[in-house]
DNA sequence: GTTGTATAGTACC
DNA sequence: GTCTGACCCATTCGG
DNA sequence: CCGAATGGGTCAGACGGTACTATACAAC
């Protein structure tokens, strides 16, 4: 009969074994149950005959095994201290002297123990939902000593999680439960190191269980399904791969949850107000309403199975997709057991990142796990270098499947061999680090080699769209965006121009910028007939079904690097790559050019640039290199558009900022007309202290009462459909409340007189002060009405990349930027181009 | 059934 | 794109 | 000499503007 290791969750089949064969940890009693059956809602029903819930639990039923908050090792319930790291299990861990880390642990474990943290305000969590879940209320000590929520202990009851007949024994498929357990553990900890350890452990178990590559691949994706922090979205295969992107609309998920649990919308709404967390709500819904008996217990979910189901979902399209998706999602959610449900809901919800990124955390953890498997107990540096190697290989060939397969089957060597730049597969583009001053630029670029003379290339920085262009050996061309999406279809005109520009027939990879152009206005003697246009005009270009004929916005290609020409060139210094680029391509009037460049001796003062070391290789990476630096005019104190604007409204922040106003709506002021035209929302550049102080200033106090209106939550509520009930925005009661005496008197019921904007923030403020806001450039705006009528009869002006600089205590409303001044700045930047 | 509009989801910067 | 804050790690500073 | 302070790097998250596209829904 199998027994699970209490430390690493590995199942050991040898019933005579005393310790875990993987980590030497203590083994649980066979199929011991340490949680009351109510903790697991569905598990009983799918119990196999073999898995009888025998009495002999390692701990009394009321006091389950506990996971050490510091190092995640599972400890017995009766223990008060973790026997691995010595942290208290009852109270939040204390800080220990660093030297203790080096002491010889009695069991193999991670190279470095996590340094237990002094529990602080629940600020930086491992995940946003975690923070959201906790932020409103007081933070209870972790882990709760008694009566912990059932899901908090999944890791502590691996024997339940990993039944041999059910999951792990099934050809090594990774049970989704395993991922959920790791995520549970992540939720209970907040240090980065712990995150690393937990993920590494999770993969170590997979490796020990001989999980097939496909399962490990699926696990990687499911750990970090968010495509990127800004856009939400999901990723279950490479960005550049064929196939529709997976879209799981919020609506479908909530609807599916209701369907799966047989609950009512009212229940859901109520629970949100109580729990403030979609995942917890899902669990609660299932528990309350969800006594839906299934005719047949669903099979345990596996990582591969879940991914496959989601991929199938993504292929649906056409009218009625949402309903179809809802149905399929409901089936998945129904099959989820224990905390699997919580994690499904959380990870699939858009904008609910789980605090783990694929390239920064998941894959490096896999690398570390392989290193563990290889050497038994690797040194810390070795683990680091394995992680870096994985990162590098992935940057070169961002293909999880290829990487995992090679790594699992042939180790690091195979991975190195397999993960090289491939024609047709975009690599991570090299990124430049932002620099705010010339001295800083010089310091950085010289940093590595202080005494050696470094020659730099200063390239004009084009404001368009980054493009990595692959010319395949058969002549086909593919174009990829900076985020590795295939956008070949969007630029047929670029493709034909490039083909004419390429002097030979070979496979190659180029780095370039695509820029919109407009016919030259002034007739000149030059041969070129086009001028570079603003980014905004590039954005209006169609994205689908573009043909060379209907491409309304003309475009010009600026080539700046050559990364492959019959063979990879990324190891060559930039000078040589650039030379090859110029030898093999020719500029074509109006359509193809080389990035304008000037080689300098490290101290000139140009205006907008990308500065590159001529001696550097190409470093594909998600992190920014010191060899390429970007110097934008708006980074410089003396340049760029700096506006003095007046805060006139605001929204309630979400997540970390849910107690404060964020973003703020700011406006210009026209003293003659008395009008306030909105310019933009600002959320960047404020410190937490500023938020706190100014939320109090404008609202009377911080926002804390009532349900924390998270973005997601609001959406969920909208889905309730029930207009009349959910119509009542949280802000409203708050508003009334704040209007009481304690209020500052700056809060208004409606926009201040003279305000002109298409925005509808929940809070309107009395205009009283002036803030300095900096931005990159000024755009014509459909929703911000500042300077309306001066540039466009209906549209106003807005600011790109706005950020707060400082309060202008020295200025009154009458010294704020006026619409006329703003329009002037707009025209000036137009000429400048 | 076709058409137009509103909205959510994404993409780029 | 922009930004801040938390965390980690290495180095320097101060008692 | 050792612990505390400091600084740089990385990671995650909280959001900016604009505009296209697919879908749902209402109106014809």
């Amino acid at each position: 009969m199998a027994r699970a290791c209490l430390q690493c969750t590995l199942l050991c089949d040898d019933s005579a074994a005393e310790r875990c064969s993987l980590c030497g940890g203590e083994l649980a009693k066979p199929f011991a149950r340490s949680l009351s059956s109510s903790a697991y809602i569905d598990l009983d029903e799918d119990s196999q005959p073999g898995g009888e819930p025998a009495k002999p639990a390692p701990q009394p039923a009321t006091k389950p095994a506990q996971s050490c908050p510091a190092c995640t090792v599972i400890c017995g319930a009766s223990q008060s201290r973790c026997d691995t790291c010595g942290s208290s299990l009852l109270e939040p861990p204390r800080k220990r002297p660093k030297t203790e880390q080096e002491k010889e642990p009695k069991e193999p474990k991670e190279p470095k123990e996590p340094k237990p943290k002094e529990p602080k305000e629940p600020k930086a969590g491992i995940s946003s939902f975690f923070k959201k879940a906790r932020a409103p209320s007081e933070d209870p000590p972790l882990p709760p000593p008694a009566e912990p929520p059932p899901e908090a202990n999944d890791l502590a009851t691996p024997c339940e999680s990993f039944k041999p007949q059910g999951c792990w024994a099934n050809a090594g498929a990774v049970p989704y439960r395993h991922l959920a357990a790791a995520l549970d553990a992540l939720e209970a900890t907040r240090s980065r190191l712990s995150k690393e350890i937990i993920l590494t452990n999770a993969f170590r178990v997979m490796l020990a269980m001989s999980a097939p590559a496909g399962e490990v691949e699926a696990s990687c994706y499911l750990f970090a399904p968010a495509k990127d922090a800004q856009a939400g979205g999901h990723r279950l295969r490479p960005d550049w791969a064929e196939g529709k992107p997976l879209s799981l609309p919020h609506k479908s998920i909530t609807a599916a949850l209701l369907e799966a649990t047989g609950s009512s919308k009212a229940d859901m709404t109520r629970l949100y107000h109580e729990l403030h967390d979609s995942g917890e709500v899902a669990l609660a819904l299932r528990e309350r309403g969800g006594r839906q008996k299934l005719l047949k217990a669903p099979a345990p979910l596996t990582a591969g199975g879940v991914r496959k189901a989601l991929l199938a979902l993504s292929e649906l399209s056409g009218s009625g997709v949402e309903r179809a998706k809802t149905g399929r999602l409901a089936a998945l959610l129904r099959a989820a057991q224990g905390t699997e449900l919580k994690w499904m809901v959380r990870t699939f919800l858009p904008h609910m990142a789980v605090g783990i990124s694929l390239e920064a955390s998941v894959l490096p953890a896999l690398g570390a796990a392989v290193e563990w498997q290889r050497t038994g107990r690797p040194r810390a540096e070795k683990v680091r270098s394995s992680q870096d190697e994985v990162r590098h290989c992935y940057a070169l060939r961002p293909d999880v499947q290829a990487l995992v397969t090679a790594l699992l089957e042939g180790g690091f060597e195979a991975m190195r061999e397999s993960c090289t730049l491939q024609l047709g597969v975009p690599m991570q583009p090299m990124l430049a680090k932002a620099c705010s001053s010339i001295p800083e630029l010089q310091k950085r670029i010289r940093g590595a080699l202080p005494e050696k003379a470094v020659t730099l290339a200063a390239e004009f920085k084009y404001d368009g769209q980054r493009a990595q262009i692959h010319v395949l050996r058969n002549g086909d061309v593919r174009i990829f965006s900076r985020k590795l999406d295939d956008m070949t279809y969007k630029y047929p005109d670029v493709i034909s121009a490039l083909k004419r520009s390429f002097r030979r027939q070979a496979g190659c990879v180029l780095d370039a910028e695509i820029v919109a152009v407009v016919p030259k206005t002034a007739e000149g003697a030059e041969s070129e007939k086009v001028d570079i246009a603003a980014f905004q005009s590039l954005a209006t270009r169609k994205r689908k079904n573009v043909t060379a004929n209907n491409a309304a916005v003309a475009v010009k290609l600026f080539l700046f690097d050559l990364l492959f020409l019959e063979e990879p060139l990324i190891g060559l210094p930039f000078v040589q790559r650039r030379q090859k680029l110029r030898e093999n391509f020719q500029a074509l009037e109006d359509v193809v050019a080389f990035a304008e460049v000037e080689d300098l001796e490290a101290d000139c003062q140009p205006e907008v640039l990308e500065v590159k070391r001529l001696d550097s290789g190409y470093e594909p990476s998600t992190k920014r290199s010191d060899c390429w630096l970007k110097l934008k005019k708006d980074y410089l104190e003396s340049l760029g558009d700096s506006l003095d604007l007046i805060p006139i409204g605001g929204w309630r922040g979400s997540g970390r900022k849910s107690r404060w106003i964020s973003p703020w709506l700011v406006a210009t002021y026209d003293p003659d007309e008395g009008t306030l035209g909105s310019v933009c929302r600002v959320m960047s550049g404020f410190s937490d202290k500023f938020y706190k102080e100014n939320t109090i200033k404008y609202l009377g106090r911080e926002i804390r009462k009532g349900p924390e209106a998270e973005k997601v939550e609001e959406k969920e509520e909208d889905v309730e459909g029930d207009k009349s009930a959910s119509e009542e925005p949280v802000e409203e009661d708050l508003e009334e409340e704040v209007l009481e005496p304690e209020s500052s008197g700056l809060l208004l019921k409606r926009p201040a007189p003279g305000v002109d904007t298409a925005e509808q923030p929940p809070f309107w403020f009395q205009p009283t002060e002036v803030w300095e806001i900096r931005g990159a450039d000024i755009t014509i705006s459909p929703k911000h009405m500042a300077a309306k009528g001066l540039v466009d009869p209906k549209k106003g002006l807005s600011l790109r990349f706005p950020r707060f600089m400082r309060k202008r205590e020295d200025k009154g409303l009458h010294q704020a930027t006026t619409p006329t001044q703003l329009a002037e700045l707009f025209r000036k930047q137009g000429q400048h181009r």
Side-chain angles (χ1 to χ4, degrees):
Chain A
M1 193 179 279
R3 298 187 299 160
C5 170
L6 286 176
Q7 172 162 302
C8 69
T9 72
L10 176 67
L11 274 175
C12 303
D13 283 328
D14 181 1
S15 56
E18 292 190 322
R19 305 223 133 230
C20 169
S21 56
L22 172 67
C23 70
E26 189 189 345
L27 295 180
K29 298 218 168 106
F31 293 103
R33 295 187 66 84
S34 56
L35 290 171
S36 63
S37 56
S38 68
Y40 281 90
I41 291 151
D42 295 325
L43 222 53
D44 288 340
E45 288 161 18
D46 92 306
S47 266
Q48 300 300 318
E52 286 325 312
K55 209 51 204 287
Q59 301 87 31
T62 49
K63 228 184 166 197
Q66 31 192 342
S67 168
C68 170
C71 68
T72 75
V73 164
I74 310 303
C75 305
S78 48
Q79 292 173 251
S80 62
R81 305 198 83 75
C82 173
D83 54 16
T84 303
C85 71
S87 297
S88 170
L89 295 170
L90 302 176
E91 285 164 28
R94 306 265 150 213
K95 222 169 194 164
R96 288 181 304 111
K98 193 178 171 188
T99 47
E100 255 195 74
Q101 281 185 17
E102 309 307 333
K103 85 174 177 198
E104 190 66 8
K106 67 183 201 285
E107 288 163 359
K109 57 180 188 295
E110 294 306 321
K112 292 198 183 170
E113 291 177 13
K115 226 181 297 173
K117 292 285 140 345
E118 200 72 47
K120 293 190 203 140
E121 264 290 287
K123 278 193 200 154
I126 206 70
S127 60
S128 63
F129 52 76
F130 172 50
K131 283 175 289 189
K132 286 170 188 170
R134 285 163 182 280
S137 57
E138 297 308 304
D139 201 10
L142 298 172
E147 296 281 331
E151 65 274 16
N153 280 285
D154 281 352
L155 201 65
T157 55
C159 32
E160 288 184 329
S161 309
F162 311 127
K163 292 179 190 174
Q165 294 94 337
C167 302
W168 280 112
N170 174 16
V174 175
Y176 188 69
R177 179 120 219 83
H178 181 59
L179 308 186
L183 291 168
D184 282 335
L186 276 172
E187 186 184 13
T189 175
R190 18 186 125 111
S191 104
R192 209 155 89 194
L193 211 44
S194 304
K195 174 169 67 180
E196 187 186 314
I197 289 172
I198 290 165
L199 287 174
T200 303
N201 270 340
F203 281 118
R204 285 175 63 202
V205 174
M206 291 181 208
L207 298 179
M209 299 304 289
S210 308
E215 290 286 327
V216 176
E217 180 198 358
S219 302
C220 290
Y221 281 123
L222 291 172
F223 268 136
K227 174 165 178 170
D228 74 60
Q230 26 177 319
H234 302 87
R235 174 160 72 172
L236 288 166
R237 63 181 151 217
D239 303 309
W240 42 268
E242 302 264 329
K244 290 164 61 85
L246 171 63
S247 166
L248 292 178
H250 201 278
K251 276 181 167 176
S252 299
I253 296 171
T254 37
L257 186 57
L258 293 177
E259 192 182 318
T261 58
S263 326
S264 71
K265 290 168 182 175
D267 282 345
M268 192 187 248
T269 312
R270 210 182 49 247
L271 283 168
Y272 268 108
H273 286 219
E274 216 173 283
L275 301 167
H276 315 299
D277 177 281
S278 311
E280 299 295 341
V281 167
L283 289 181
L285 281 176
R286 182 176 59 187
E287 187 139 4
R288 296 191 192 186
R291 285 292 163 202
Q292 280 191 329
K293 290 289 177 212
L294 298 175
L295 293 175
K296 188 165 141 258
L301 295 167
T302 62
V306 171
R307 173 169 178 250
K308 212 171 126 194
L310 292 173
L311 283 175
L313 244 169
S314 71
E315 296 305 325
L316 300 173
S317 70
S319 147
V321 264
E322 294 204 358
R323 202 162 322 147
K325 282 184 180 174
T326 301
R328 296 211 195 182
L329 273 176
L332 258 184
L333 294 177
R334 258 194 289 267
Q337 301 172 2
T339 51
E340 289 176 341
L341 179 63
K342 177 168 85 178
W343 291 107
M344 270 190 185
V345 170
R346 283 182 179 174
T347 53
F348 299 165
L349 275 176
H351 295 104
M352 281 296 246
V354 291
I356 316 171
S357 100
L358 184 64
E359 43 274 279
S361 297
V362 176
L363 292 175
L366 175 62
V370 171
E371 185 60 31
W372 269 90
Q373 193 195 31
R374 199 174 69 83
T375 51
R377 188 137 165 251
R379 299 167 53 85
E381 316 83 89
K382 192 69 195 154
V383 173
R384 289 270 162 266
S385 75
S386 308
Q387 291 171 330
D388 288 344
E389 212 170 339
V390 169
R391 255 188 278 255
H392 179 246
C393 284
Y394 186 73
L396 230 40
R397 184 181 179 188
D399 181 339
V400 178
Q401 184 182 12
L403 188 141
V404 169
T405 308
L407 196 52
L408 262 49
E409 286 168 9
F412 288 100
E413 199 165 321
M415 177 181 73
R416 274 190 295 268
E417 255 167 51
S418 144
C419 296
T420 55
L421 175 54
Q422 314 272 314
L423 277 181
V425 177
M427 69 175 146
Q428 298 284 355
M430 183 166 175
L431 301 175
K433 201 172 278 181
C435 246
S436 57
S437 69
I438 303 287
E440 188 195 341
L441 184 146
Q442 293 177 327
K443 186 178 137 219
R444 281 197 182 282
I445 216 137
R446 288 237 166 96
L449 309 153
E451 74 289 347
K452 203 175 140 192
V454 179
T455 320
L456 309 175
E459 279 178 4
F460 187 83
K461 194 171 187 315
Y462 297 91
D463 188 13
Q465 182 171 14
R466 183 91 178 252
Q468 188 179 128
I469 306 174
H470 289 232
V471 178
L472 310 187
R473 291 199 176 82
N474 65 9
D476 282 357
V477 177
R478 314 229 61 139
I479 305 179
F480 302 99
S481 74
R482 182 165 112 56
K483 294 269 171 59
L484 309 187
D485 275 322
D486 187 337
M487 51 175 191
T488 309
Y489 51 84
K490 192 176 163 186
Y491 292 111
D493 42 348
V494 167
I495 292 175
S496 64
L498 183 79
K499 282 181 172 167
R500 283 186 285 134
S501 167
F502 196 15
R503 295 180 197 270
R504 41 193 287 203
Q505 173 90 34
C508 79
V509 176
L510 293 148
D511 208 349
E513 189 87 6
I514 295 173
V515 180
V517 290
V518 290
K520 246 193 173 52
T521 42
E523 206 61 51
E526 314 99 54
S527 54
E528 293 271 326
K529 294 180 203 64
V530 295
D531 277 327
I532 289 174
F535 175 77
Q536 202 170 6
S537 97
L538 180 67
T540 63
R541 197 175 158 111
K542 288 225 175 311
R543 295 207 273 255
K544 296 261 169 96
N545 302 319
V546 181
T547 62
N549 295 329
N550 77 2
V553 179
V555 126
K556 184 169 173 178
L557 184 65
F558 286 92
L559 303 172
F560 58 78
D561 212 331
L562 181 61
L563 313 174
F564 188 103
L565 184 65
E566 287 175 333
E567 56 176 357
L569 305 179
I570 57 177
L572 293 181
F574 180 50
V575 233
Q576 291 181 32
R577 299 199 306 272
R578 201 175 63 180
Q579 192 185 346
K580 279 182 189 286
L581 174 70
R582 291 178 179 174
E583 286 166 5
N584 288 283
F585 289 83
Q586 62 180 95
L588 295 175
E589 194 174 298
D590 298 341
V591 283
V592 180
F594 299 110
E596 209 175 297
V597 71
E598 199 176 314
D599 295 354
L600 354 143
E601 294 303 329
D603 48 70
C604 73
Q605 193 147 345
E607 202 180 339
V608 192
L609 338 144
E610 193 93 22
V611 178
K612 301 173 180 177
R613 278 174 63 144
L614 285 171
D615 58 347
S616 68
Y618 192 89
E619 300 169 15
S621 171
T622 45
K623 58 183 170 198
R624 295 169 183 278
S625 162
D626 266 345
C627 293
W628 284 16
L629 300 169
K630 58 175 169 179
L631 194 62
K632 288 168 72 176
K633 68 176 197 296
D634 60 296
Y635 297 160
L636 297 167
E637 195 57 34
S638 53
L639 296 163
D641 295 316
S642 182
L643 307 179
D644 294 318
L645 303 173
I646 302 156
I648 56 164
W651 288 258
R652 181 199 293 217
S654 63
R656 216 171 62 76
K657 299 184 182 174
S658 61
R659 299 153 164 258
W660 308 314
I661 303 283
S662 176
W664 299 77
L665 184 66
V666 293
T668 52
Y669 181 55
D670 183 340
D672 300 335
E673 308 284 326
T675 52
L676 293 141
S678 75
V679 172
C680 60
R681 304 179 182 198
V682 199
M683 49 68 58
S684 200
F686 302 112
S687 66
D688 285 10
K689 182 161 163 272
F690 182 96
Y691 277 120
K692 188 174 175 187
E693 288 171 4
N694 286 279
T695 299
I696 292 172
K697 171 171 179 180
Y698 279 87
L699 295 185
R701 57 165 175 72
E702 287 184 89
I703 305 167
R704 66 191 125 75
K705 198 173 159 260
E708 297 295 306
E710 299 157 28
K711 185 184 281 176
V712 169
E713 190 179 331
E714 281 169 13
K715 286 185 195 158
E716 300 266 5
E717 284 176 37
D718 290 347
V719 177
E720 315 304 308
D722 203 10
K723 279 267 171 154
S724 51
S726 64
E727 192 71 4
E728 199 177 352
V730 176
E731 287 77 17
E732 235 168 59
D733 27 319
L734 181 84
E735 190 174 328
E736 282 171 19
E737 198 183 12
V738 171
L739 280 173
E740 288 170 18
E742 64 165 338
S743 161
S744 61
L746 292 178
L747 190 65
L748 305 175
K749 289 227 173 211
R750 52 186 56 83
V755 165
D756 189 8
T757 180
E759 293 278 24
Q760 293 190 304
F763 305 123
W764 292 103
F765 305 134
Q766 177 71 42
T768 53
E769 58 182 334
V770 177
W771 294 357
E772 182 183 343
I773 310 290
R774 187 175 285 262
D777 36 37
I778 299 164
T779 58
I780 295 180
S781 170
K783 71 179 183 185
H784 294 291
M785 296 305 164
K788 183 171 74 178
L790 298 181
V791 173
D792 181 294
K794 287 236 169 92
K795 294 178 173 177
L797 294 177
S798 185
L799 202 56
R800 187 150 76 130
F801 312 142
R803 60 261 194 199
F804 170 83
M805 304 307 287
R806 63 180 73 85
K807 278 197 183 189
R808 293 298 300 258
E809 315 272 10
D810 57 318
K811 287 200 171 186
L813 299 192
H814 287 264
Q815 280 83 49
T817 303
T818 63
T820 321
Q821 290 169 334
L822 184 60
E824 193 53 40
L825 285 169
F826 175 76
R827 289 194 202 98
K828 221 164 71 191
Q829 91 185 358
Q831 291 166 8
H832 188 261
R833 237 179 272 282

